[in-house]
Amino acid sequence: MFSPEMCLWMIPFLPLLGSVIIVTLGRRMFPDRCHVPCIAGAIGACVCAVVVFVGVISETTPLRFGREIAWIQVGNFSANFSLRADGLTAVMLVMVTFIGSLIAIYSAGYMEVDESYPRFFAAVSAFLFFMTGLVLANNFVLLYACWEGVGLCSYLLIGFWYEKPSAAAAARKAFLVTRLGDIGLFIGILILWHNFGHSLEYDDIFVNVKAQYDAGVLDHNLLYWACICLFIGAAGKSAQFPLHVWLPDAMEGPSPVSALIHAATMVTAGVYLVARCTPLFGLAPDAQLLVACTGGFTALLAALIAVTQTDLKRVLAYSTLSQLGYMFLALGSGVVVGEHKLAGLAVTAAIFHLFTHAFFKALLFLAAGSVMHAMHDVIDMTKFGGLKKVLPITHWTFLCGAAALAGIPLLSGFWSKDEILATTYEAWHVSGGAASGIYCLLFFTALFTAGLTAFYTARAYFMTFHGDEKLPPEAGEHPHDATPIMAWPLMILAVGAVGVGIVLGPTHLFESVLEKKWITAQFAHLASPHSTNLLLMVTSSVVACIGVGIAYWLYVADPSAAASVASRMASIYDLSRSKFYFDEIYELAVVWPMNAFAFICRVVDQYVLDGLVDLFGQVPAVFGYLVRPVQNGLVQFYALLMALGLAGFLLSVLLR
Amino acid sequence: MSPAHLEGYLVVGAVLFALGLVGFLTRRNMIIMFLSAEMMLQGVAVNLVAFAHFRGNLGGQVLVLFIVAVAACEAAIALALVLMLFRRRKTLDVSVWQELREPDQEPIEDEGTLEAEEKPEDFQHLTPAGAEPPARKDTEEVSHV
Amino acid sequence: MISLLLFADGEGVRGFFRENWLVLLPCALGFVAIYLLMPRANRLPALWGGVLAGLALILGGFVLARSQVFSVETILFLAFSGLAIAAGVMMITQSNPVHAALSFAMVVLSVCGLFLLQAAPFLMAATIIIYAGAIVVTFLFVIMLAQQEGPSNADQRSREPFLASLAGCVLLASVWSIVHKTYQPGDVESLLATLTKVAAVKNTDDVKQVLGDPQTMKPTERDLPLVEQLRKHFASLPPDHKTLNDIAAIKLHWAKLDVDNLKASAEAVRKELEPHRNRQGSLGSDTPHPKEKTPVRFEPGKLPAGNVAAIGRTLFTDYLIPVELAATLLLVATIGAIVIAGRRSEELR
């Protein structure tokens, strides 16, 4: 029963079962207990994931399941329900199911007051099903199906309060923008299928590409475009520039959703995809450079915007963008130049950051949700302050998460961010020519962004929990701290945010798992060993501390300083405040022309096409009007018509 | 039996058939319509019998026997139906059944005037002697659906 | 009517009328007569229509009888069919339903006379009993039950008399012209009939009666129509074929009034011609099945004298299952009639 292979399919199946139970029975039989199937499914999946993880570590080959269960079979196109678990999958699975379980438990407390309790948990369960399926899939078609599935669940959950116009709009925006990326992904999959062996299994494609590469017949242009298309899909899902506009708006959903989907799991699907396809990207340096540039630019841009936002959840959303940018920067830095093969290092760094980020960002979102819960849905940081005493549990857990995010030494964010910086630094040094300059620029951008990250994180922390105690009128007299069911997940995550780095970072446990169970099996030719760069660690620590220090100076030591600094840099401040006018630019450049085009189409459709169709429709109507008197209900008249018809027919035969 | 003879019988059968058809199409009394249909059957029977003789094959005569059997069934059922229809509308006129016409069509009415029909003579009624009997319930108007 | 316009071309129409005017004339007369006789609000006196109908009847009778030998059978046929048609016309034109039903009884009786002429005495008896005896009486019952006050308003009017009469007339004209074309002289059937007659002659007088007297004819008129039509029919054969020789022999022996050889030649040609008969539309083959024990098929035009026995044999051999089905049908109809008519409505109680 609990063999790792069995657990493989039970991981997605248990949340699906939970979702089906809630959908079919929940609303009628136990509307107040709908969290039970969801939490049970998530925890069951988590247990199975741990079993799978142990299995992966102890086995020499990846676990596989269902290679022979055919799904689609058309001509030479075939897709199976094949699942696989190697090091990367196992890490992702443990992360997704563990965080998912905690967030499901937290939601049971957070969503208690809502009327659509069953709908929420059904969607969360379905999301866990699709997300684990996405991670477990062993071919691109299954991955694509689950990819769309998580998109759907994201849409349902962002628009959970669909009666709120802004939530409905945000859901639509998220769905449409990610669809743009999905088209890219789809085209990429088609290119891969068509050119690399007419198979969609990962291994077949990777082996084929490597064989072509070794034989010197690889079409580099084709691979480049395939990678670009895959990256467009990843960028859409992971909200990278220029498809980043949906993520900040997605904060309209409930806070646990923001934590689960839009911080910890779904948005990392893009990172996962690019990491999974490292055997392809490693052979396409140009595509890697693009990935790195996009990542670095997004990281900087989002950090700059986050600095001035006053909405706590928005700050966290932009910080998510920024951190995802970091991951892509790391992935894009996995260059292979001669003896220097950085792909292994890069992927490890990105996945490690993904892992730690999931902990502290989920924690931050849940803590923000707790604040929001206490403040009765007020989330504007200017409206409250000094909540240290009012919400002690929330304060301490938030502090843990913020410190980890800021990159305070020895906390989890420090270790993983340092690895990314180290990778970029290596890439700068080993690559030559123009690429070297670009990586240099990206390295300093990343360093600067690290400082910005520390600054805005500290800013959010200080504005919320320090200073004079200030409560919005909506919160009432006695705001309450997190209830136990919400507090426990917060505390577990806080421990994780603090401890994960120190356990996995210096001990290189994480690297060794990925290295042994994934990288050596998949792309040993792209990876080589590397060493820790102590100087870089010190530098990043200093930068982080400077960021925090500035924030302390501006928002705690001298609260009036912030305003004066802002007024001195008014133009930049406004630019950042208004998110660099991206929404407005998109409105003007994309939405308006589209609307105009749609209007033209509507006019053509309504007056030209419909007119034509109506005209044809009128022909039988007119004919029917002409012959309608025949139907006068007199049986003899009908018989007469029959007789006349027969007579006419006979005559026509006779007279011919 | 010469072909010329056969031609004569076939033509007589056709004439009977055509007359029955015309009767069926024009007459409005349901019973006469039905009689006309029977006359069409007679035309067919003449035809069959003539061919049976001409070909020396008794199949034609047997078929006429079947026609007689079917006609008997038909008469039984159709007359029962006619009676039922008559009970509904109190008339044998087939023209009162026009409900299956198109919704926007006007029902077809009789046109032209007949010679003034003789009205039954109006006899003088005497008041009945004695107490008035209680009104019968089942003489109430029954709705014709 | 649209199809008529589409398919007809002027030449075809003219040709059709030229060939069939003799048939079309009584039909047209009958059409006008029926139209005039139909009951309606202000109709002409029945005399006009009656005269026209009588004219049509006489004309039609003449057309049918002109190619037949004048015999008792012909007279009876003309009498019975005339009676049937006249009664039929009366049936559909009477405004009084009771009279119509009685006219229908007359039609049935006349048709029974025709049955008798066609060697179907059993059918005659059965039809008289069932139709005239049972069905018509039932009709009369219903009429009496429903219309106790005599002819109603509906009986005084008819629906679309013109179009209906036209349709009937066109149908009749089509059928008649087709029948006329099919069984005219020169057709296989009529040739066969003549040959059978020739093969059955007993002496020179018979020959003279059937084919004409060769001694009184001028040599230029001695081309026998029968022989010419036979040659035309067998034109596709090679000139020295045996059948053509036999045909020539018929003429030769007739000219010499050689009865025995004439009979032999006619019989030979008849046997050759027999397979050319048109079998289309016949119910099964006319030749008996090899395993058939009781013969139920007979020579053309010769039905057995034991009509009832022969029909019984046919019914219970070839048509056994239909007989059973008919029996079931009668049972079902009986039950159905009881169910439908037995439902009493309030006002009839």
Side-chain angles (χ1 to χ4, degrees):
Chain A
M1 174 77 191
F2 281 107
S3 74
E5 280 83 1
M6 287 298 288
C7 290
L8 215 54
W9 66 265
M10 280 172 66
I11 294 171
F13 177 72
L14 289 175
L16 177 66
L17 191 66
S19 177
V20 168
I21 289 174
I22 297 170
V23 167
T24 51
L25 304 174
R27 188 171 283 277
R28 259 162 290 160
M29 315 250 314
F30 43 90
D32 300 331
R33 291 278 171 278
C34 280
H35 55 277
V36 176
C38 175
I39 293 173
I43 290 179
C46 186
V47 171
C48 293
V50 171
V51 174
V52 166
F53 186 79
V54 173
V56 167
I57 289 179
S58 55
E59 299 278 337
T60 48
T61 53
L63 299 173
R64 288 174 197 284
F65 178 82
R67 214 185 154 90
E68 66 286 344
I69 302 178
W71 175 21
I72 308 172
Q73 196 88 46
V74 183
N76 60 354
F77 175 91
S78 70
N80 298 329
F81 281 112
S82 55
L83 307 179
R84 89 186 238 147
D86 52 20
L88 176 64
T89 309
V91 167
M92 291 287 291
L93 279 179
V94 171
M95 188 273 282
V96 167
T97 53
F98 181 65
I99 303 227
S101 306
L102 289 180
I103 291 174
I105 294 169
Y106 175 91
S107 308
Y110 186 85
M111 299 300 295
E112 206 164 32
V113 291
D114 202 279
E115 279 177 17
S116 304
Y117 203 57
R119 186 155 56 86
F120 179 83
F121 284 101
V124 167
S125 260
F127 169 77
L128 281 176
F129 162 68
F130 282 122
M131 189 66 207
T132 48
L134 190 157
V135 175
L136 276 167
N138 193 23
N139 60 54
F140 277 107
V141 177
L142 192 55
L143 173 119
Y144 186 77
C146 293
W147 186 274
E148 296 292 348
V150 292
L152 170 70
C153 291
S154 160
Y155 169 79
L156 291 177
L157 287 169
I158 296 171
F160 181 68
W161 289 310
Y162 56 84
E163 284 158 352
K164 201 163 106 190
S166 60
R172 204 167 56 231
K173 186 172 176 183
F175 196 70
L176 291 179
V177 173
T178 46
R179 285 249 21 121
L180 270 182
D182 294 348
I183 293 169
L185 174 62
F186 191 69
I187 295 172
I189 291 174
L190 290 184
I191 294 176
L192 288 178
W193 178 78
H194 189 254
N195 294 295
F196 301 113
H198 289 293
S199 171
L200 287 163
E201 302 282 317
Y202 294 144
D203 288 344
D204 296 346
I205 291 178
F206 297 160
V207 166
N208 249 308
V209 170
K210 181 165 187 301
Q212 289 191 11
Y213 181 76
D214 291 342
V217 296
L218 181 66
D219 187 345
H220 282 279
N221 218 6
L222 210 60
L223 186 64
Y224 171 73
W225 282 110
C227 287
I228 292 296
C229 285
L230 291 180
F231 177 63
I232 289 173
K237 205 51 120 192
S238 292
Q240 294 300 293
F241 175 84
L243 300 177
H244 66 278
V245 287
W246 66 270
L247 188 56
D249 287 6
M251 296 303 127
E252 292 289 349
S255 290
V257 170
S258 309
L260 177 65
I261 297 185
H262 306 117
T265 52
M266 188 193 84
V267 288
T268 61
V271 179
Y272 166 79
L273 176 68
V274 175
R276 171 60 77 195
C277 297
T278 307
L280 306 178
F281 280 88
L283 299 178
D286 294 343
Q288 276 191 324
L289 196 59
L290 186 79
V291 171
C293 290
T294 310
F297 183 68
T298 310
L300 178 65
L301 185 79
L304 282 175
I305 296 174
V307 164
T308 55
Q309 298 300 309
T310 56
D311 181 328
L312 181 57
K313 277 181 79 178
R314 288 277 146 81
V315 173
L316 294 177
Y318 280 106
S319 128
T320 304
L321 281 183
S322 178
Q323 301 306 309
L324 289 169
Y326 263 116
M327 296 174 208
F328 278 107
L329 174 61
L331 288 171
S333 303
V335 291
V336 178
V337 180
E339 286 303 302
H340 302 282
K341 298 166 175 169
L342 297 184
L345 177 65
V347 172
T348 311
I351 299 298
F352 190 29
H353 194 55
L354 190 160
F355 193 77
T356 56
H357 173 255
F359 278 91
F360 59 67
K361 191 50 69 64
L363 171 61
L364 283 172
F365 265 112
L366 293 187
S370 182
V371 171
M372 204 167 153
H373 207 53
M375 297 296 121
H376 280 258
D377 295 344
V378 174
I379 199 65
D380 192 340
M381 288 189 289
T382 57
K383 297 225 175 101
F384 49 72
L387 299 180
K388 193 162 53 175
K389 300 267 167 42
V390 185
L391 309 170
I393 300 174
T394 310
H395 166 238
W396 282 112
T397 49
F398 192 93
L399 179 61
C400 294
L405 173 59
I408 301 300
L410 306 186
L411 298 186
S412 57
F414 165 76
W415 295 103
S416 53
K417 205 178 289 179
D418 178 65
E419 276 202 39
I420 290 175
L421 288 173
T423 311
T424 317
Y425 182 77
E426 293 273 329
W428 165 24
H429 279 278
V430 299
S431 56
S436 176
I438 293 173
Y439 279 118
C440 168
L441 195 64
L442 285 175
F443 172 71
F444 285 111
T445 306
L447 208 55
F448 177 59
T449 307
L452 280 179
T453 307
F455 174 72
Y456 68 67
T457 314
R459 169 177 173 266
Y461 168 70
F462 290 137
M463 281 180 81
T464 309
F465 293 101
H466 285 266
D468 300 333
E469 189 170 310
K470 189 164 66 172
L471 291 178
E474 289 91 337
E477 289 298 307
H478 299 289
H480 56 89
D481 200 1
T483 54
I485 198 170
M486 288 160 70
W488 278 106
L490 283 176
M491 287 189 269
I492 295 172
L493 281 173
V495 171
V498 172
V500 152
I502 195 90
V503 171
L504 300 179
T507 55
H508 297 290
L509 275 177
F510 200 82
E511 283 97 318
S512 70
V513 169
L514 286 187
E515 191 89 29
K516 284 186 192 142
K517 297 302 167 194
W518 177 42
I519 293 171
T520 46
Q522 291 275 318
F523 49 98
H525 58 290
L526 297 176
S528 58
H530 54 89
S531 57
T532 319
N533 191 336
L534 267 181
L535 179 67
L536 211 55
M537 281 186 171
V538 175
T539 318
S540 74
S541 307
V542 170
V543 168
C545 290
I546 290 172
V548 174
I550 294 174
Y552 184 79
W553 171 58
L554 284 179
Y555 293 98
V556 180
D558 184 7
S560 62
S564 63
V565 170
S567 62
R568 235 173 288 153
M569 299 192 288
S571 57
I572 301 177
Y573 184 83
D574 283 344
L575 207 58
S576 162
R577 188 74 198 268
S578 48
K579 312 161 203 170
F580 290 92
Y581 296 105
F582 267 111
D583 281 340
E584 286 74 13
I585 291 169
Y586 277 35
E587 181 76 26
L588 205 66
V590 181
V591 177
W592 193 84
M594 279 295 179
N595 275 341
F597 183 64
F599 178 76
I600 294 170
C601 288
R602 205 187 92 195
V603 167
V604 170
D605 182 57
Q606 228 167 26
Y607 295 100
V608 180
L609 295 180
D610 279 7
L612 214 61
V613 171
D614 285 351
L615 201 66
F616 277 109
Q618 287 302 313
V619 171
V622 167
F623 190 66
Y625 181 78
L626 288 180
V627 298
R628 195 170 300 155
V630 169
Q631 294 284 334
N632 58 7
L634 276 174
V635 66
Q636 283 177 308
F637 193 73
Y638 298 161
L640 175 63
L641 285 184
M642 272 167 60
L644 281 176
L646 184 62
F649 175 72
L650 269 181
L651 268 188
S652 73
V653 171
L654 278 179
L655 297 184
R656 212 130 65 108
Chain B
M1 175 86 188
S2 74
H5 272 99
L6 179 67
E7 184 193 348
Y9 284 94
L10 297 187
V11 169
V12 170
V15 169
L16 286 181
F17 186 89
L19 282 177
L21 181 71
V22 173
F24 186 85
L25 295 183
T26 51
R27 301 310 304 271
R28 290 167 47 172
N29 188 316
M30 279 190 279
I31 291 184
I32 297 189
M33 281 172 70
F34 200 71
L35 281 176
S36 305
E38 296 285 344
M39 192 152 78
M40 289 161 81
L41 286 180
Q42 287 296 306
V44 176
V46 169
N47 209 328
L48 285 169
V49 167
F51 266 117
H53 188 207
F54 182 68
R55 286 229 191 266
N57 187 337
L58 276 177
Q61 294 197 8
V62 170
L63 217 53
V64 173
L65 265 184
F66 287 134
I67 287 181
V68 171
V70 170
C73 298
E74 206 186 311
I77 299 283
L79 285 178
L81 286 170
V82 166
L83 263 187
M84 209 170 76
L85 294 176
F86 173 75
R87 283 175 190 163
R88 288 270 177 86
R89 292 282 164 93
K90 288 289 171 207
T91 175
L92 287 175
D93 188 359
V94 76
S95 306
V96 300
W97 301 95
Q98 295 190 19
E99 277 77 5
L100 281 179
R101 67 180 180 276
E102 283 283 312
D104 57 346
Q105 293 285 313
E106 289 297 313
I108 292 185
E109 301 281 350
D110 289 335
E111 49 192 31
T113 51
L114 293 173
E115 295 92 47
E117 288 175 28
E118 282 179 38
K119 282 188 181 169
E121 214 170 319
D122 200 6
F123 295 109
Q124 196 174 10
H125 288 276
L126 289 179
T127 358
E132 196 176 341
R136 277 177 61 186
K137 277 179 185 171
D138 54 358
T139 51
E140 286 163 13
E141 190 68 30
V142 178
S143 62
H144 305 302
V145 181
Chain C
M1 289 297 143
I2 295 171
S3 55
L4 177 69
L5 294 177
L6 281 180
F7 289 114
D9 59 79
E11 186 47 45
V13 174
R14 271 194 297 278
F16 179 79
F17 280 105
R18 208 160 36 237
E19 284 168 26
N20 293 298
W21 68 271
L22 215 52
V23 166
L24 296 179
L25 193 59
C27 288
L29 272 179
F31 157 62
V32 177
I34 298 283
Y35 173 66
L36 290 178
L37 282 172
M38 274 296 161
R40 68 172 74 87
N42 304 305
R43 75 169 173 190
L44 291 172
L47 183 65
W48 294 99
V51 167
L52 273 180
L55 262 181
L57 201 56
I58 293 168
L59 194 59
F62 166 74
V63 170
L64 283 181
R66 95 200 127 103
S67 59
Q68 290 184 19
V69 184
F70 199 71
S71 63
V72 179
E73 196 192 337
T74 314
I75 295 172
L76 282 176
F77 162 70
L78 287 176
F80 279 131
S81 49
L83 200 56
I85 293 167
V89 171
M90 279 176 59
M91 193 207 94
I92 65 169
T93 53
Q94 290 286 345
S95 59
N96 189 334
V98 178
H99 294 174
L102 291 176
S103 308
F104 178 66
M106 197 63 226
V107 173
V108 172
L109 290 177
S110 320
V111 166
C112 286
L114 291 179
F115 285 176
L116 204 54
L117 285 179
Q118 292 291 330
F122 174 68
L123 275 186
M124 178 208 74
T127 311
I128 287 181
I129 292 167
I130 297 173
Y131 261 105
I135 297 182
V136 172
V137 172
T138 320
F139 276 111
L140 283 175
F141 270 134
V142 175
I143 295 170
M144 299 295 183
L145 191 66
Q147 281 191 322
Q148 284 150 349
E149 66 279 353
S152 72
N153 189 14
D155 289 320
Q156 315 273 4
R157 300 162 178 280
S158 40
R159 173 88 47 213
E160 303 286 354
F162 180 81
L163 277 179
S165 322
L166 184 67
C169 155
V170 168
L171 277 177
L172 176 62
S174 322
V175 173
W176 195 346
S177 54
I178 291 169
V179 166
H180 189 66
K181 206 174 181 178
T182 312
Y183 295 103
Q184 70 190 354
D187 176 71
V188 179
E189 297 291 346
S190 67
L191 284 177
L192 269 176
T194 319
L195 281 172
T196 315
K197 260 185 212 164
V198 172
V201 293
K202 294 192 176 67
N203 47 41
T204 49
D205 290 342
D206 285 347
V207 175
K208 284 174 188 167
Q209 199 199 334
V210 175
L211 292 176
D213 188 351
Q215 289 150 354
T216 58
M217 285 189 186
K218 295 172 194 164
T220 47
E221 290 174 341
R222 282 184 190 174
D223 289 336
L224 270 181
L226 172 69
V227 171
E228 291 308 313
Q229 282 161 8
L230 280 174
R231 280 193 178 139
K232 211 165 141 191
H233 185 84
F234 287 107
S236 58
L237 290 178
D240 54 345
H241 196 269
K242 180 180 168 292
T243 310
L244 291 183
N245 294 339
D246 283 335
I247 293 170
I250 291 178
K251 192 177 173 184
L252 215 64
H253 299 310
W254 167 68
K256 294 176 191 163
L257 284 176
D258 186 348
V259 178
D260 292 338
N261 285 327
L262 179 65
K263 278 171 79 173
S265 305
E267 187 62 30
V269 176
R270 195 186 74 80
K271 278 184 181 151
E272 284 296 316
L273 194 60
E274 185 70 30
H276 291 240
R277 291 179 75 177
N278 178 13
R279 301 281 172 194
Q280 278 176 357
S282 111
L283 281 169
S285 88
D286 285 351
T287 51
H289 190 270
K291 285 187 178 172
E292 205 170 81
K293 283 178 185 153
T294 46
V296 290
R297 290 180 177 80
F298 312 93
E299 282 290 296
K302 285 181 181 163
L303 286 177
N307 181 258
V308 180
I311 283 190
R313 219 173 276 138
T314 315
L315 262 182
F316 294 110
T317 52
D318 285 359
Y319 296 91
L320 186 59
I321 292 177
V323 166
E324 299 298 333
L325 287 179
T328 319
L329 182 68
L330 281 167
L331 179 67
V332 171
T334 315
I335 297 169
I338 292 169
V339 169
I340 296 171
R343 220 181 285 147
R344 304 215 162 195
S345 59
E346 292 295 313
E347 56 265 50
L348 280 187
R349 190 178 288 160

